[in-house]
Coordinates of all heavy atoms in Angstrom, one line a residue:
M189 N -103.9 -61.0 -11.8 CA -102.7 -60.3 -11.6 C -101.7 -61.0 -10.6 O -100.6 -60.6 -10.4 CB -103.0 -58.8 -11.2 CG -103.8 -58.0 -12.0 SD -103.2 -57.7 -13.7 CE -101.7 -56.8 -13.3
L190 N -102.2 -62.0 -10.1 CA -101.2 -62.7 -9.1 C -100.3 -63.6 -9.8 O -100.6 -64.2 -10.9 CB -102.2 -63.5 -8.1 CG -103.1 -62.8 -7.1 CD1 -104.0 -63.8 -6.4 CD2 -102.3 -61.9 -6.2
A191 N -99.2 -63.9 -9.1 CA -98.3 -64.9 -9.6 C -98.9 -66.3 -9.5 O -99.9 -66.5 -8.6 CB -97.1 -64.9 -8.7
P192 N -98.6 -67.2 -10.3 CA -99.3 -68.6 -10.3 C -99.3 -69.2 -9.0 O -100.3 -69.7 -8.5 CB -98.5 -69.3 -11.3 CG -97.9 -68.3 -12.3 CD -97.6 -67.1 -11.4
D193 N -98.2 -69.2 -8.1 CA -98.3 -69.9 -6.7 C -99.2 -69.1 -5.8 O -99.9 -69.8 -5.1 CB -96.9 -70.0 -6.3 CG -96.1 -68.5 -6.1 OD1 -96.4 -67.6 -6.8 OD2 -95.3 -68.5 -5.1
E194 N -99.3 -67.8 -5.9 CA -100.2 -67.0 -5.1 C -101.6 -67.2 -5.5 O -102.6 -67.4 -4.7 CB -99.9 -65.5 -5.2 CG -98.5 -65.0 -4.7 CD -98.3 -63.6 -5.0 OE1 -98.3 -63.1 -6.1 OE2 -98.0 -62.9 -4.0
R195 N -101.8 -67.3 -6.8 CA -103.3 -67.7 -7.3 C -103.7 -68.9 -6.8 O -104.8 -69.1 -6.4 CB -103.3 -67.5 -8.8 CG -104.5 -67.7 -9.5 CD -104.5 -67.5 -10.9 NE -103.7 -68.4 -11.5 CZ -102.8 -68.1 -12.5 NH1 -102.5 -67.0 -12.7 NH2 -102.0 -69.1 -13.1
Q196 N -102.9 -70.0 -6.9 CA -103.2 -71.3 -6.6 C -103.5 -71.5 -5.1 O -104.5 -72.1 -4.7 CB -102.1 -72.3 -7.0 CG -102.1 -72.6 -8.5 CD -100.8 -73.2 -8.9 OE1 -99.9 -73.6 -8.2 NE2 -100.8 -73.5 -10.3
A197 N -102.8 -70.7 -4.3 CA -103.0 -70.7 -2.9 C -104.3 -70.1 -2.5 O -105.1 -70.6 -1.7 CB -101.9 -69.9 -2.1
L198 N -104.6 -69.0 -3.3 CA -106.0 -68.3 -3.0 C -107.0 -69.2 -3.4 O -108.1 -69.4 -2.7 CB -106.0 -67.0 -3.8 CG -107.2 -66.3 -3.7 CD1 -107.5 -65.7 -2.4 CD2 -107.2 -65.1 -4.7
I199 N -107.0 -69.8 -4.6 CA -108.1 -70.7 -5.1 C -108.2 -71.9 -4.1 O -109.4 -72.3 -3.8 CB -107.7 -71.2 -6.5 CG1 -107.8 -70.0 -7.5 CG2 -108.6 -72.5 -6.9 CD1 -107.4 -70.4 -8.9
R200 N -107.2 -72.5 -3.5 CA -107.2 -73.5 -2.6 C -108.0 -73.1 -1.3 O -108.8 -74.0 -0.8 CB -106.0 -74.1 -2.2 CG -105.3 -75.0 -3.2 CD -104.1 -75.8 -2.6 NE -103.1 -74.8 -2.1 CZ -102.1 -74.4 -2.9 NH1 -102.0 -74.8 -4.1 NH2 -101.1 -73.6 -2.3
G201 N -108.0 -72.0 -1.0 CA -108.7 -71.5 0.2 C -110.2 -71.0 0.0 O -110.8 -70.6 0.9
L202 N -110.6 -71.0 -1.3 CA -111.9 -70.5 -1.5 C -113.1 -71.5 -1.1 O -112.8 -72.6 -1.5 CB -112.0 -70.2 -3.1 CG -111.3 -69.0 -3.6 CD1 -111.5 -68.9 -5.2 CD2 -111.8 -67.6 -3.0
P203 N -114.1 -70.9 -0.6 CA -115.2 -71.9 -0.3 C -115.9 -72.2 -1.8 O -115.9 -71.4 -2.6 CB -116.1 -71.2 0.6 CG -115.9 -69.7 0.3 CD -114.5 -69.7 -0.1
L204 N -116.5 -73.4 -1.9 CA -117.0 -73.8 -3.2 C -118.5 -73.6 -3.1 O -119.3 -74.6 -2.9 CB -116.7 -75.2 -3.5 CG -115.1 -75.4 -3.8 CD1 -114.9 -76.9 -4.2 CD2 -114.9 -74.6 -5.0
T205 N -119.0 -72.3 -3.1 CA -120.4 -72.1 -3.0 C -120.9 -71.9 -4.3 O -120.2 -71.6 -5.3 CB -120.6 -70.8 -2.1 OG1 -119.8 -69.7 -2.8 CG2 -120.1 -71.1 -0.7
T206 N -122.2 -71.9 -4.4 CA -122.8 -71.7 -5.8 C -123.9 -70.6 -5.8 O -125.1 -71.0 -5.6 CB -123.4 -73.1 -6.3 OG1 -124.3 -73.6 -5.4 CG2 -122.4 -74.1 -6.5
P207 N -123.6 -69.3 -5.8 CA -124.6 -68.3 -5.8 C -125.5 -68.3 -6.9 O -126.7 -67.9 -6.7 CB -123.9 -67.0 -5.8 CG -122.5 -67.4 -6.0 CD -122.3 -68.8 -6.0
T208 N -125.2 -68.8 -8.0 CA -126.2 -68.9 -9.2 C -125.8 -70.4 -9.8 O -124.7 -70.9 -9.6 CB -125.9 -67.9 -10.2 OG1 -124.8 -68.0 -10.8 CG2 -126.1 -66.5 -9.6
R209 N -126.7 -70.8 -10.8 CA -126.5 -71.9 -11.4 C -125.3 -72.0 -12.4 O -124.7 -72.9 -12.8 CB -127.8 -72.3 -12.3 CG -128.9 -72.8 -11.5 CD -130.1 -73.0 -12.4 NE -130.6 -71.7 -12.8 CZ -131.2 -71.6 -13.9 NH1 -131.8 -72.5 -14.5 NH2 -131.7 -70.2 -14.1
R210 N -124.8 -70.7 -12.9 CA -123.7 -70.6 -13.8 C -122.3 -70.5 -13.1 O -121.3 -70.5 -13.7 CB -123.9 -69.4 -14.6 CG -125.1 -69.4 -15.5 CD -125.1 -68.3 -16.5 NE -123.9 -68.4 -17.1 CZ -123.7 -68.3 -18.5 NH1 -124.8 -68.1 -19.2 NH2 -122.5 -68.3 -19.1
H211 N -122.4 -70.4 -11.8 CA -121.1 -70.3 -10.9 C -120.2 -71.5 -11.1 O -120.7 -72.6 -11.2 CB -121.6 -70.2 -9.5 CG -120.4 -69.8 -8.5 ND1 -119.9 -68.7 -8.5 CD2 -119.6 -70.7 -7.8 CE1 -119.0 -68.7 -7.6 NE2 -118.8 -69.8 -7.1
R212 N -118.9 -71.2 -11.3 CA -117.9 -72.3 -11.4 C -117.6 -72.7 -10.1 O -117.2 -72.0 -9.1 CB -116.6 -71.6 -12.1 CG -116.8 -71.3 -13.5 CD -115.5 -70.6 -14.0 NE -115.7 -70.1 -15.3 CZ -115.9 -68.7 -15.6 NH1 -115.9 -67.9 -14.6 NH2 -116.2 -68.4 -16.8
V213 N -117.7 -74.1 -9.8 CA -117.5 -74.6 -8.5 C -116.2 -75.5 -8.4 O -115.7 -75.9 -7.3 CB -118.7 -75.4 -8.1 CG1 -119.9 -74.6 -7.9 CG2 -119.0 -76.6 -9.0
S214 N -115.6 -75.9 -9.5 CA -114.4 -76.6 -9.5 C -113.2 -75.8 -9.4 O -113.0 -74.9 -10.2 CB -114.4 -77.7 -10.7 OG -113.1 -78.0 -11.0
R215 N -112.3 -76.1 -8.5 CA -111.0 -75.3 -8.4 C -110.3 -75.6 -9.7 O -109.6 -74.5 -10.2 CB -110.3 -75.8 -7.1 CG -110.9 -75.2 -5.9 CD -110.0 -75.6 -4.7 NE -110.5 -75.0 -3.5 CZ -111.6 -75.6 -2.7 NH1 -112.0 -76.8 -3.1 NH2 -112.0 -75.1 -1.6
R216 N -110.2 -76.7 -10.3 CA -109.5 -77.0 -11.5 C -110.2 -76.1 -12.6 O -109.3 -75.5 -13.4 CB -109.6 -78.4 -11.8 CG -108.7 -78.8 -13.0 CD -108.8 -80.3 -13.2 NE -108.5 -80.6 -14.6 CZ -109.1 -81.5 -15.4 NH1 -109.9 -82.3 -14.7 NH2 -108.9 -81.7 -16.6
D217 N -111.5 -76.1 -12.8 CA -112.1 -75.4 -13.8 C -111.8 -73.9 -13.6 O -111.6 -73.1 -14.7 CB -113.6 -75.6 -13.8 CG -113.9 -76.9 -14.3 OD1 -113.1 -77.7 -14.9 OD2 -115.1 -77.2 -14.1
L218 N -111.7 -73.5 -12.4 CA -111.6 -72.0 -12.1 C -110.1 -71.6 -12.5 O -109.9 -70.6 -13.2 CB -111.7 -71.7 -10.6 CG -111.7 -70.2 -10.1 CD1 -112.5 -69.2 -11.0 CD2 -111.9 -70.1 -8.6
E219 N -109.2 -72.4 -12.1 CA -107.7 -72.2 -12.6 C -107.7 -72.1 -14.1 O -107.1 -71.3 -14.6 CB -106.9 -73.3 -12.1 CG -105.5 -73.1 -12.2 CD -104.7 -71.9 -11.7 OE1 -105.2 -71.5 -10.6 OE2 -103.8 -71.4 -12.2
Q220 N -108.4 -73.0 -14.7 CA -108.3 -73.0 -16.3 C -108.8 -71.7 -16.8 O -108.3 -71.1 -17.8 CB -109.0 -74.3 -16.8 CG -108.2 -75.5 -16.6 CD -109.0 -76.7 -16.9 OE1 -110.1 -76.7 -17.2 NE2 -108.3 -77.8 -17.2
V221 N -110.0 -71.2 -16.3 CA -110.6 -70.1 -16.7 C -109.6 -68.8 -16.4 O -109.5 -68.0 -17.3 CB -112.0 -69.9 -16.0 CG1 -112.5 -68.5 -16.3 CG2 -113.0 -70.9 -16.5
I222 N -109.1 -68.8 -15.3 CA -108.1 -67.7 -15.0 C -106.9 -67.7 -15.9 O -106.5 -66.7 -16.4 CB -107.7 -67.8 -13.5 CG1 -108.9 -67.6 -12.6 CG2 -106.6 -66.8 -13.2 CD1 -108.6 -67.8 -11.1
E223 N -106.4 -68.8 -16.2 CA -105.3 -68.9 -17.2 C -105.6 -68.3 -18.5 O -105.0 -67.6 -19.2 CB -104.7 -70.3 -17.3 CG -104.1 -70.8 -16.0 CD -103.6 -72.2 -16.2 OE1 -103.8 -72.8 -17.1 OE2 -103.0 -72.7 -15.1
L224 N -106.8 -68.8 -19.1 CA -107.4 -68.3 -20.3 C -107.5 -66.8 -20.3 O -107.2 -66.1 -21.2 CB -108.7 -68.9 -20.5 CG -109.5 -68.4 -21.9 CD1 -109.1 -69.1 -23.1 CD2 -111.0 -68.5 -21.6
E225 N -108.1 -66.3 -19.2 CA -108.4 -64.8 -19.1 C -107.2 -64.1 -19.0 O -107.2 -63.0 -19.6 CB -109.4 -64.5 -18.0 CG -110.8 -65.2 -18.3 CD -111.9 -65.0 -17.2 OE1 -111.4 -64.8 -16.1 OE2 -113.1 -65.0 -17.4
Q226 N -106.3 -64.7 -18.3 CA -105.0 -63.9 -18.1 C -104.2 -63.9 -19.6 O -103.7 -62.8 -19.8 CB -104.1 -64.6 -17.1 CG -102.9 -63.8 -16.8 CD -102.1 -64.6 -15.7 OE1 -102.0 -65.8 -15.6 NE2 -101.4 -63.9 -14.7
A227 N -104.3 -64.9 -20.2 CA -103.7 -64.9 -21.6 C -104.4 -63.8 -22.5 O -103.8 -63.2 -23.3 CB -103.7 -66.3 -22.2
R228 N -105.8 -63.8 -22.3 CA -106.5 -62.9 -23.2 C -106.3 -61.4 -22.9 O -106.5 -60.5 -23.7 CB -108.0 -63.3 -23.1 CG -108.9 -62.6 -23.9 CD -110.3 -63.0 -23.8 NE -110.8 -63.1 -22.5 CZ -111.8 -63.7 -22.0 NH1 -112.5 -64.6 -22.9 NH2 -112.3 -63.7 -20.7
G229 N -106.1 -61.2 -21.5 CA -105.9 -59.9 -21.1 C -107.2 -59.2 -20.4 O -107.1 -58.1 -19.9
W230 N -108.3 -60.0 -20.3 CA -109.5 -59.4 -19.6 C -110.3 -60.6 -19.2 O -110.2 -61.7 -19.6 CB -110.2 -58.5 -20.5 CG -110.7 -59.0 -21.8 CD1 -109.9 -59.1 -23.0 CD2 -111.8 -59.7 -22.1 NE1 -110.5 -59.7 -24.0 CE2 -111.8 -60.0 -23.6 CE3 -113.1 -60.0 -21.4 CZ2 -112.8 -60.7 -24.2 CZ3 -114.0 -60.6 -22.1 CH2 -113.9 -61.0 -23.4
S231 N -111.1 -60.3 -18.1 CA -112.0 -61.4 -17.5 C -113.5 -61.0 -17.7 O -113.8 -59.8 -17.8 CB -111.7 -61.4 -16.0 OG -110.4 -61.7 -15.8
V232 N -114.4 -62.0 -17.7 CA -115.7 -61.8 -17.8 C -116.4 -62.6 -16.8 O -116.1 -63.8 -16.6 CB -116.2 -62.0 -19.3 CG1 -116.1 -63.4 -19.7 CG2 -117.7 -61.6 -19.4
N233 N -117.5 -62.2 -16.4 CA -118.4 -62.9 -15.4 C -119.9 -62.7 -16.1 O -120.4 -61.7 -16.1 CB -118.5 -62.3 -14.1 CG -119.4 -62.9 -13.1 OD1 -120.6 -63.3 -13.5 ND2 -119.1 -63.0 -11.9
L234 N -120.4 -63.9 -16.7 CA -121.6 -63.9 -17.3 C -122.6 -64.4 -16.5 O -123.2 -65.5 -16.7 CB -121.5 -64.7 -18.7 CG -120.5 -64.1 -19.6 CD1 -120.3 -65.2 -20.8 CD2 -121.0 -62.9 -20.2
G235 N -123.1 -63.7 -15.5 CA -124.2 -64.0 -14.6 C -123.8 -65.1 -13.6 O -124.6 -65.7 -13.0
E236 N -122.5 -65.3 -13.3 CA -122.0 -66.3 -12.4 C -122.2 -66.0 -10.9 O -122.3 -66.8 -10.1 CB -120.6 -66.7 -12.7 CG -120.6 -67.4 -14.2 CD -119.3 -67.0 -14.9 OE1 -118.9 -65.9 -14.8 OE2 -118.9 -67.8 -15.7
F237 N -122.3 -64.7 -10.7 CA -122.3 -64.2 -9.4 C -123.8 -63.7 -9.2 O -124.3 -64.1 -8.1 CB -121.3 -63.1 -9.0 CG -121.3 -62.8 -7.5 CD1 -120.9 -63.6 -6.6 CD2 -121.8 -61.4 -7.2 CE1 -120.9 -63.2 -5.2 CE2 -121.8 -61.1 -5.9 CZ -121.6 -62.0 -4.8
R238 N -124.2 -62.9 -10.0 CA -125.6 -62.3 -9.9 C -126.3 -62.7 -11.3 O -125.7 -62.3 -12.3 CB -125.6 -60.9 -9.7 CG -125.0 -60.4 -8.4 CD -126.1 -60.1 -7.5 NE -125.6 -59.4 -6.3 CZ -126.0 -59.8 -5.1 NH1 -126.9 -60.6 -4.8 NH2 -125.4 -59.3 -4.2
A239 N -127.3 -63.4 -11.2 CA -128.0 -63.7 -12.4 C -128.3 -62.4 -13.2 O -128.7 -61.4 -12.6 CB -129.4 -64.5 -12.1
D240 N -128.1 -62.4 -14.5 CA -128.5 -61.3 -15.4 C -127.7 -60.2 -15.3 O -128.0 -59.0 -15.8 CB -130.0 -61.0 -15.2 CG -131.0 -62.1 -15.5 OD1 -130.7 -62.8 -16.4 OD2 -132.1 -62.1 -14.9
V241 N -126.5 -60.3 -14.6 CA -125.5 -59.2 -14.5 C -124.2 -59.6 -15.2 O -123.7 -60.8 -14.8 CB -125.2 -58.7 -13.1 CG1 -124.2 -57.6 -13.1 CG2 -126.6 -58.2 -12.6
V242 N -123.6 -58.9 -16.1 CA -122.4 -59.2 -16.7 C -121.4 -58.2 -16.2 O -121.6 -56.9 -16.1 CB -122.5 -59.1 -18.2 CG1 -121.0 -59.1 -18.9 CG2 -123.4 -60.1 -18.8
S243 N -120.1 -58.7 -15.8 CA -119.0 -57.7 -15.4 C -117.8 -58.2 -16.3 O -117.6 -59.4 -16.5 CB -118.8 -57.8 -14.0 OG -118.4 -59.1 -13.6
I244 N -117.2 -57.2 -16.8 CA -116.0 -57.3 -17.7 C -114.9 -56.6 -16.9 O -115.1 -55.3 -16.6 CB -116.2 -56.8 -19.1 CG1 -117.5 -57.5 -19.6 CG2 -115.0 -57.2 -19.9 CD1 -118.0 -56.8 -20.8
A245 N -113.6 -57.0 -16.9 CA -112.6 -56.4 -16.2 C -111.3 -56.6 -16.8 O -110.9 -57.7 -17.4 CB -112.4 -56.8 -14.6
A246 N -110.3 -55.6 -16.7 CA -109.0 -55.8 -17.2 C -108.1 -55.1 -16.1 O -108.4 -54.0 -15.7 CB -108.7 -55.1 -18.5
G247 N -107.2 -56.0 -15.6 CA -106.3 -55.4 -14.6 C -105.0 -54.9 -15.0 O -104.6 -55.1 -16.3
F248 N -104.4 -54.0 -14.2 CA -103.1 -53.4 -14.7 C -102.4 -53.1 -13.3 O -102.9 -52.8 -12.4 CB -103.3 -52.3 -15.7 CG -104.1 -51.1 -15.1 CD1 -103.4 -50.0 -14.6 CD2 -105.5 -51.1 -15.0 CE1 -104.0 -49.0 -14.1 CE2 -106.2 -50.0 -14.6 CZ -105.5 -49.0 -14.0
R249 N -101.0 -52.9 -13.5 CA -100.3 -52.4 -12.4 C -99.9 -50.9 -12.8 O -99.6 -50.6 -13.8 CB -98.9 -53.2 -12.3 CG -99.2 -54.6 -11.9 CD -97.9 -55.4 -11.6 NE -98.2 -56.7 -11.3 CZ -98.7 -57.3 -10.2 NH1 -98.8 -56.4 -9.1 NH2 -99.0 -58.4 -10.1
W250 N -100.1 -50.1 -11.8 CA -99.8 -48.6 -11.8 C -99.0 -48.2 -10.6 O -99.6 -48.3 -9.4 CB -101.1 -47.9 -12.0 CG -101.0 -46.4 -12.3 CD1 -100.4 -46.0 -13.3 CD2 -101.6 -45.3 -11.6 NE1 -100.5 -44.6 -13.4 CE2 -101.1 -44.2 -12.3 CE3 -102.3 -45.2 -10.5 CZ2 -101.7 -42.9 -11.8 CZ3 -102.8 -44.0 -9.9 CH2 -102.4 -42.9 -10.7
H251 N -97.8 -47.8 -10.7 CA -97.0 -47.3 -9.7 C -96.9 -48.4 -8.6 O -96.9 -48.0 -7.4 CB -97.5 -45.9 -9.2 CG -97.4 -44.8 -10.3 ND1 -96.2 -44.3 -10.6 CD2 -98.4 -44.3 -10.8 CE1 -96.5 -43.5 -11.5 NE2 -97.7 -43.4 -11.8
G252 N -96.7 -49.5 -9.0 CA -96.5 -50.7 -8.0 C -97.7 -51.3 -7.4 O -97.6 -52.2 -6.6
S253 N -98.9 -50.8 -7.7 CA -100.1 -51.4 -7.1 C -101.1 -51.9 -8.3 O -100.9 -51.4 -9.4 CB -100.8 -50.4 -6.1 OG -101.3 -49.3 -6.8
V254 N -101.9 -52.8 -7.9 CA -102.7 -53.5 -8.9 C -104.2 -52.7 -8.9 O -104.7 -52.3 -7.8 CB -103.1 -54.9 -8.5 CG1 -104.2 -55.5 -9.5 CG2 -101.7 -55.6 -8.6
H255 N -104.6 -52.4 -10.1 CA -105.9 -51.8 -10.3 C -106.6 -52.5 -11.4 O -106.1 -53.4 -12.0 CB -105.7 -50.3 -10.8 CG -104.9 -49.5 -9.8 ND1 -105.6 -48.7 -8.9 CD2 -103.5 -49.3 -9.6 CE1 -104.6 -48.2 -8.1 NE2 -103.3 -48.5 -8.5
A256 N -108.0 -52.0 -11.5 CA -108.7 -52.7 -12.6 C -109.7 -51.8 -13.1 O -110.2 -50.9 -12.4 CB -109.5 -54.0 -12.0
L257 N -110.0 -51.8 -14.5 CA -111.0 -51.2 -15.1 C -112.2 -52.1 -15.2 O -112.0 -53.3 -15.6 CB -110.6 -50.7 -16.4 CG -109.4 -49.7 -16.6 CD1 -109.1 -49.5 -18.0 CD2 -109.8 -48.5 -15.9
V258 N -113.4 -51.8 -14.9 CA -114.5 -52.7 -14.8 C -115.8 -52.1 -15.5 O -116.1 -50.9 -15.3 CB -114.8 -53.1 -13.4 CG1 -116.1 -54.0 -13.3 CG2 -113.6 -53.7 -12.6
I259 N -116.5 -53.0 -16.3 CA -117.8 -52.6 -16.7 C -118.7 -53.6 -16.2 O -118.5 -54.8 -16.2 CB -117.9 -52.6 -18.2 CG1 -117.0 -51.6 -18.9 CG2 -119.4 -52.5 -18.7 CD1 -116.8 -51.8 -20.5
A260 N -119.8 -53.1 -15.6 CA -120.9 -54.1 -15.1 C -122.2 -53.5 -15.6 O -122.5 -52.3 -15.5 CB -121.0 -54.1 -13.6
A261 N -123.1 -54.4 -16.1 CA -124.3 -53.9 -16.7 C -125.3 -55.1 -16.8 O -124.8 -56.3 -16.7 CB -124.1 -53.4 -18.1
P262 N -126.5 -54.9 -17.0 CA -127.6 -56.0 -17.2 C -127.1 -56.7 -18.4 O -126.6 -56.2 -19.4 CB -128.8 -55.2 -17.4 CG -128.6 -53.9 -16.9 CD -127.2 -53.6 -16.9
Q263 N -127.3 -58.0 -18.3 CA -126.7 -59.1 -19.3 C -127.3 -58.6 -20.7 O -126.6 -58.7 -21.7 CB -127.2 -60.4 -19.0 CG -126.5 -61.5 -19.8 CD -126.6 -62.8 -19.1 OE1 -127.3 -63.0 -18.1 NE2 -126.0 -63.8 -19.6
G264 N -128.6 -58.4 -20.8 CA -129.1 -58.1 -22.0 C -128.7 -56.9 -22.8 O -128.9 -56.8 -24.0
R265 N -128.1 -56.0 -22.0 CA -127.6 -54.8 -22.7 C -126.2 -54.9 -23.2 O -125.8 -54.1 -24.1 CB -127.6 -53.6 -21.6 CG -129.1 -53.2 -21.2 CD -129.1 -52.1 -20.3 NE -128.6 -50.9 -20.9 CZ -128.3 -49.8 -20.3 NH1 -128.5 -49.8 -18.9 NH2 -128.1 -48.6 -20.8
V266 N -125.4 -55.8 -22.7 CA -124.0 -56.0 -23.1 C -123.4 -57.4 -23.6 O -122.4 -57.3 -24.2 CB -123.1 -55.5 -22.0 CG1 -123.3 -54.1 -21.6 CG2 -123.1 -56.4 -20.7
Q267 N -124.3 -58.4 -23.5 CA -123.7 -59.7 -23.8 C -123.3 -59.9 -25.2 O -122.4 -60.4 -25.5 CB -124.8 -60.7 -23.5 CG -124.2 -62.1 -23.7 CD -125.0 -63.2 -23.0 OE1 -125.8 -63.0 -22.2 NE2 -124.6 -64.5 -23.3
A268 N -124.0 -59.1 -26.2 CA -123.6 -59.3 -27.5 C -122.3 -58.6 -27.8 O -121.6 -58.8 -28.9 CB -124.7 -58.7 -28.4
R269 N -121.8 -57.6 -26.8 CA -120.6 -56.9 -27.1 C -119.5 -57.2 -26.1 O -118.6 -56.5 -26.0 CB -121.0 -55.4 -26.9 CG -121.9 -55.0 -28.1 CD -122.3 -53.6 -28.0 NE -123.3 -53.5 -26.8 CZ -123.7 -52.4 -26.2 NH1 -123.3 -51.3 -26.6 NH2 -124.6 -52.5 -25.3
V270 N -119.7 -58.3 -25.3 CA -118.7 -58.7 -24.4 C -117.3 -58.7 -24.9 O -116.4 -58.2 -24.3 CB -119.0 -60.0 -23.7 CG1 -117.8 -60.7 -22.9 CG2 -120.2 -59.9 -22.9
N271 N -117.0 -59.3 -26.0 CA -115.7 -59.4 -26.6 C -115.1 -58.0 -26.9 O -113.9 -57.8 -26.6 CB -115.7 -60.4 -27.7 CG -115.8 -61.9 -27.3 OD1 -115.5 -62.2 -26.2 ND2 -116.5 -62.6 -28.2
R272 N -115.9 -57.3 -27.5 CA -115.4 -55.8 -28.0 C -115.2 -55.1 -26.8 O -114.1 -54.3 -26.7 CB -116.5 -55.3 -28.8 CG -116.5 -55.5 -30.3 CD -117.3 -54.5 -31.0 NE -118.5 -54.2 -30.4 CZ -119.7 -54.4 -30.9 NH1 -119.9 -54.8 -32.1 NH2 -120.8 -53.9 -30.3
L273 N -115.9 -55.2 -25.8 CA -115.8 -54.4 -24.5 C -114.6 -54.9 -23.8 O -113.7 -54.1 -23.3 CB -117.0 -54.4 -23.7 CG -118.3 -53.7 -24.2 CD1 -119.5 -54.1 -23.4 CD2 -118.1 -52.2 -24.2
G274 N -114.4 -56.2 -23.7 CA -113.3 -56.8 -23.0 C -111.9 -56.3 -23.7 O -111.0 -55.9 -23.0
Q275 N -111.9 -56.4 -25.0 CA -110.7 -55.9 -25.7 C -110.4 -54.5 -25.5 O -109.3 -54.0 -25.3 CB -110.8 -56.2 -27.1 CG -109.5 -55.9 -28.0 CD -108.4 -56.7 -27.5 OE1 -108.5 -57.9 -27.2 NE2 -107.3 -56.1 -27.6
A276 N -111.5 -53.6 -25.5 CA -111.3 -52.2 -25.3 C -110.7 -52.0 -23.9 O -109.9 -51.1 -23.6 CB -112.6 -51.5 -25.4
L277 N -111.3 -52.6 -22.9 CA -110.8 -52.6 -21.6 C -109.3 -52.9 -21.5 O -108.5 -52.2 -20.9 CB -111.6 -53.4 -20.5 CG -112.9 -52.7 -20.1 CD1 -113.6 -53.8 -19.1 CD2 -112.8 -51.4 -19.4
H278 N -108.9 -54.0 -22.1 CA -107.7 -54.5 -22.1 C -106.7 -53.4 -22.7 O -105.6 -53.1 -22.2 CB -107.5 -55.8 -22.9 CG -106.1 -56.3 -23.1 ND1 -105.3 -56.6 -22.1 CD2 -105.4 -56.4 -24.3 CE1 -104.2 -57.1 -22.5 NE2 -104.2 -56.9 -23.8
E279 N -107.2 -52.8 -23.8 CA -106.3 -51.8 -24.5 C -106.1 -50.6 -23.6 O -105.1 -50.0 -23.4 CB -106.9 -51.5 -25.8 CG -106.7 -52.6 -26.8 CD -107.6 -52.4 -28.1 OE1 -108.1 -51.3 -28.2 OE2 -107.6 -53.3 -28.9
M280 N -107.2 -50.2 -23.0 CA -107.1 -49.0 -22.1 C -106.2 -49.4 -20.8 O -105.5 -48.5 -20.4 CB -108.4 -48.6 -21.6 CG -108.5 -47.4 -20.7 SD -107.8 -46.0 -21.4 CE -109.1 -45.6 -22.6
A281 N -106.3 -50.5 -20.2 CA -105.5 -50.9 -19.1 C -104.1 -50.9 -19.4 O -103.3 -50.5 -18.7 CB -106.0 -52.2 -18.5
A282 N -103.8 -51.4 -20.7 CA -102.3 -51.5 -21.1 C -101.8 -50.0 -21.3 O -100.6 -49.8 -20.9 CB -102.3 -52.2 -22.4
S283 N -102.7 -49.2 -21.7 CA -102.2 -47.8 -21.9 C -102.0 -47.1 -20.6 O -101.1 -46.2 -20.4 CB -103.2 -47.0 -22.7 OG -104.3 -46.6 -21.9
L284 N -102.7 -47.5 -19.5 CA -102.5 -47.0 -18.2 C -101.4 -47.5 -17.3 O -100.9 -47.0 -16.4 CB -103.7 -47.1 -17.4 CG -105.0 -46.3 -17.9 CD1 -106.2 -46.7 -17.3 CD2 -104.7 -44.7 -17.9
A285 N -101.0 -48.8 -17.7 CA -100.1 -49.5 -16.9 C -98.6 -48.8 -17.0 O -98.2 -48.2 -17.9 CB -99.8 -50.9 -17.5
S286 N -98.0 -48.8 -15.8 CA -96.7 -48.2 -15.6 C -95.8 -49.1 -14.8 O -96.1 -50.1 -14.2 CB -96.8 -46.8 -14.8 OG -97.3 -47.0 -13.6

């Protein structure tokens, strides 16, 4: 939900830690993933922060502030439906945006 220059400044300041083996550690890779997710309308974390936990989110602006709808669940319960759930969150977030 950040403007590109704000997003790049934030990414430059992030520590490059690796909480799990799937964690993205390259700032360039992270920027590319964010651009892809921004174009798609929703984001996904497939065990990159906590192993075996998936989170899916769609952001939206509501009355001038940023909000997000989020689903978090054990990986085995939702991984096969990530794309459907992400699209559903995106549609719901778009309907709430003002």
Side-chain angles (χ1 to χ4, degrees):
M189 299 300 297
L190 296 174
D193 58 333
E194 294 174 305
R195 182 176 65 234
Q196 290 168 357
L198 179 65
I199 289 171
R200 278 193 303 272
L202 290 174
L204 295 178
T205 59
T206 56
T208 70
R209 289 177 289 159
R210 296 189 55 131
H211 185 79
R212 296 178 184 101
V213 295
S214 161
R215 286 182 175 88
R216 182 173 155 221
D217 289 346
L218 181 57
E219 180 68 30
Q220 289 174 343
V221 168
I222 291 170
E223 288 174 3
L224 169 88
E225 291 178 340
Q226 189 175 35
R228 180 176 60 200
W230 55 275
S231 301
V232 64
N233 177 323
L234 296 169
E236 292 140 331
F237 184 70
R238 296 257 186 224
D240 299 325
V241 175
V242 170
S243 59
I244 310 161
F248 63 99
R249 294 189 187 278
W250 189 56
H251 296 287
S253 60
V254 175
H255 300 269
L257 299 175
V258 179
I259 296 171
Q263 193 167 3
R265 294 179 70 190
V266 297
Q267 186 159 350
R269 296 176 286 169
V270 165
N271 290 329
R272 274 194 322 239
L273 293 168
Q275 186 60 38
L277 283 179
H278 173 65
E279 291 169 9
M280 181 60 72
S283 75
L284 294 171
S286 63

